[in-house]
PDB file of all heavy atoms in Angstrom:
ATOM      1  N   ALA A  40      -3.404   6.060   2.033  1.00 90.00           N
ATOM      2  CA  ALA A  40      -2.580   6.937   2.873  1.00 90.00           C
ATOM      3  C   ALA A  40      -3.116   7.072   4.294  1.00 90.00           C
ATOM      4  O   ALA A  40      -2.352   7.411   5.172  1.00 90.00           O
ATOM      5  CB  ALA A  40      -2.487   8.295   2.163  1.00 90.00           C
ATOM      6  N   GLU A  41      -4.427   6.789   4.430  1.00 91.00           N
ATOM      7  CA  GLU A  41      -4.971   6.791   5.793  1.00 91.00           C
ATOM      8  C   GLU A  41      -4.826   5.469   6.454  1.00 91.00           C
ATOM      9  O   GLU A  41      -4.636   5.340   7.663  1.00 91.00           O
ATOM     10  CB  GLU A  41      -6.499   7.178   5.705  1.00 91.00           C
ATOM     11  CG  GLU A  41      -6.745   8.571   5.314  1.00 91.00           C
ATOM     12  CD  GLU A  41      -8.234   8.787   5.062  1.00 91.00           C
ATOM     13  OE1 GLU A  41      -9.042   7.917   5.368  1.00 91.00           O
ATOM     14  OE2 GLU A  41      -8.610   9.916   4.550  1.00 91.00           O
ATOM     15  N   ALA A  42      -5.025   4.346   5.690  1.00 93.00           N
ATOM     16  CA  ALA A  42      -4.997   3.003   6.216  1.00 93.00           C
ATOM     17  C   ALA A  42      -3.656   2.607   6.727  1.00 93.00           C
ATOM     18  O   ALA A  42      -3.526   1.950   7.802  1.00 93.00           O
ATOM     19  CB  ALA A  42      -5.400   1.992   5.153  1.00 93.00           C
ATOM     20  N   LEU A  43      -2.536   2.975   6.035  1.00 93.00           N
ATOM     21  CA  LEU A  43      -1.178   2.495   6.480  1.00 93.00           C
ATOM     22  C   LEU A  43      -0.834   3.124   7.804  1.00 93.00           C
ATOM     23  O   LEU A  43      -0.422   2.315   8.694  1.00 93.00           O
ATOM     24  CB  LEU A  43      -0.173   2.900   5.386  1.00 93.00           C
ATOM     25  CG  LEU A  43       1.257   2.460   5.698  1.00 93.00           C
ATOM     26  CD1 LEU A  43       1.369   0.934   5.977  1.00 93.00           C
ATOM     27  CD2 LEU A  43       2.225   2.899   4.608  1.00 93.00           C
ATOM     28  N   PRO A  44      -0.872   4.402   8.100  1.00 91.00           N
ATOM     29  CA  PRO A  44      -0.501   4.904   9.377  1.00 91.00           C
ATOM     30  C   PRO A  44      -1.426   4.340  10.521  1.00 91.00           C
ATOM     31  O   PRO A  44      -0.961   4.116  11.621  1.00 91.00           O
ATOM     32  CB  PRO A  44      -0.545   6.405   9.296  1.00 91.00           C
ATOM     33  CG  PRO A  44      -1.180   6.743   8.004  1.00 91.00           C
ATOM     34  CD  PRO A  44      -1.183   5.477   7.182  1.00 91.00           C
ATOM     35  N   MET A  45      -2.734   4.111  10.194  1.00 92.00           N
ATOM     36  CA  MET A  45      -3.595   3.591  11.234  1.00 92.00           C
ATOM     37  C   MET A  45      -3.210   2.175  11.555  1.00 92.00           C
ATOM     38  O   MET A  45      -3.193   1.764  12.762  1.00 92.00           O
ATOM     39  CB  MET A  45      -5.026   3.595  10.669  1.00 92.00           C
ATOM     40  CG  MET A  45      -6.035   3.191  11.654  1.00 92.00           C
ATOM     41  SD  MET A  45      -7.767   3.196  11.065  1.00 92.00           S
ATOM     42  CE  MET A  45      -7.931   4.909  10.511  1.00 92.00           C
ATOM     43  N   HIS A  46      -2.805   1.426  10.547  1.00 93.00           N
ATOM     44  CA  HIS A  46      -2.366  -0.017  10.780  1.00 93.00           C
ATOM     45  C   HIS A  46      -1.089   0.028  11.594  1.00 93.00           C
ATOM     46  O   HIS A  46      -0.932  -0.712  12.555  1.00 93.00           O
ATOM     47  CB  HIS A  46      -2.198  -0.676   9.421  1.00 93.00           C
ATOM     48  CG  HIS A  46      -1.938  -2.152   9.570  1.00 93.00           C
ATOM     49  ND1 HIS A  46      -2.939  -3.067   9.610  1.00 93.00           N
ATOM     50  CD2 HIS A  46      -0.774  -2.874   9.637  1.00 93.00           C
ATOM     51  CE1 HIS A  46      -2.453  -4.295   9.671  1.00 93.00           C
ATOM     52  NE2 HIS A  46      -1.145  -4.131   9.662  1.00 93.00           N
ATOM     53  N   VAL A  47      -0.134   0.903  11.239  1.00 92.00           N
ATOM     54  CA  VAL A  47       1.118   0.965  11.951  1.00 92.00           C
ATOM     55  C   VAL A  47       0.909   1.351  13.404  1.00 92.00           C
ATOM     56  O   VAL A  47       1.477   0.814  14.362  1.00 92.00           O
ATOM     57  CB  VAL A  47       2.120   1.932  11.233  1.00 92.00           C
ATOM     58  CG1 VAL A  47       3.336   2.192  12.088  1.00 92.00           C
ATOM     59  CG2 VAL A  47       2.560   1.342   9.884  1.00 92.00           C
ATOM     60  N   ASP A  48      -0.001   2.376  13.652  1.00 90.00           N
ATOM     61  CA  ASP A  48      -0.267   2.827  14.984  1.00 90.00           C
ATOM     62  C   ASP A  48      -0.875   1.652  15.816  1.00 90.00           C
ATOM     63  O   ASP A  48      -0.551   1.437  16.973  1.00 90.00           O
ATOM     64  CB  ASP A  48      -1.306   3.928  14.989  1.00 90.00           C
ATOM     65  CG  ASP A  48      -0.736   5.229  14.548  1.00 90.00           C
ATOM     66  OD1 ASP A  48       0.552   5.333  14.449  1.00 90.00           O
ATOM     67  OD2 ASP A  48      -1.485   6.177  14.228  1.00 90.00           O
ATOM     68  N   GLY A  49      -1.754   0.832  15.209  1.00 92.00           N
ATOM     69  CA  GLY A  49      -2.349  -0.311  15.880  1.00 92.00           C
ATOM     70  C   GLY A  49      -1.265  -1.349  16.177  1.00 92.00           C
ATOM     71  O   GLY A  49      -1.304  -1.911  17.353  1.00 92.00           O
ATOM     72  N   MET A  50      -0.316  -1.591  15.312  1.00 92.00           N
ATOM     73  CA  MET A  50       0.775  -2.503  15.615  1.00 92.00           C
ATOM     74  C   MET A  50       1.615  -2.021  16.785  1.00 92.00           C
ATOM     75  O   MET A  50       1.984  -2.816  17.659  1.00 92.00           O
ATOM     76  CB  MET A  50       1.653  -2.726  14.365  1.00 92.00           C
ATOM     77  CG  MET A  50       1.015  -3.510  13.298  1.00 92.00           C
ATOM     78  SD  MET A  50       2.104  -3.633  11.815  1.00 92.00           S
ATOM     79  CE  MET A  50       3.397  -4.706  12.403  1.00 92.00           C
ATOM     80  N   ARG A  51       1.929  -0.719  16.764  1.00 91.00           N
ATOM     81  CA  ARG A  51       2.721  -0.161  17.895  1.00 91.00           C
ATOM     82  C   ARG A  51       1.943  -0.273  19.185  1.00 91.00           C
ATOM     83  O   ARG A  51       2.522  -0.593  20.238  1.00 91.00           O
ATOM     84  CB  ARG A  51       3.047   1.283  17.568  1.00 91.00           C
ATOM     85  CG  ARG A  51       4.094   1.476  16.552  1.00 91.00           C
ATOM     86  CD  ARG A  51       4.556   2.948  16.444  1.00 91.00           C
ATOM     87  NE  ARG A  51       5.643   3.055  15.520  1.00 91.00           N
ATOM     88  CZ  ARG A  51       5.642   3.875  14.501  1.00 91.00           C
ATOM     89  NH1 ARG A  51       4.585   4.669  14.265  1.00 91.00           N
ATOM     90  NH2 ARG A  51       6.633   3.900  13.678  1.00 91.00           N
TER      91      ARG A  51
END
Side-chain angles (χ1 to χ4, degrees):
E41 294 173 8
L43 181 58
M45 186 180 303
H46 190 85
V47 169
D48 287 347
M50 289 178 67
R51 285 189 177 124

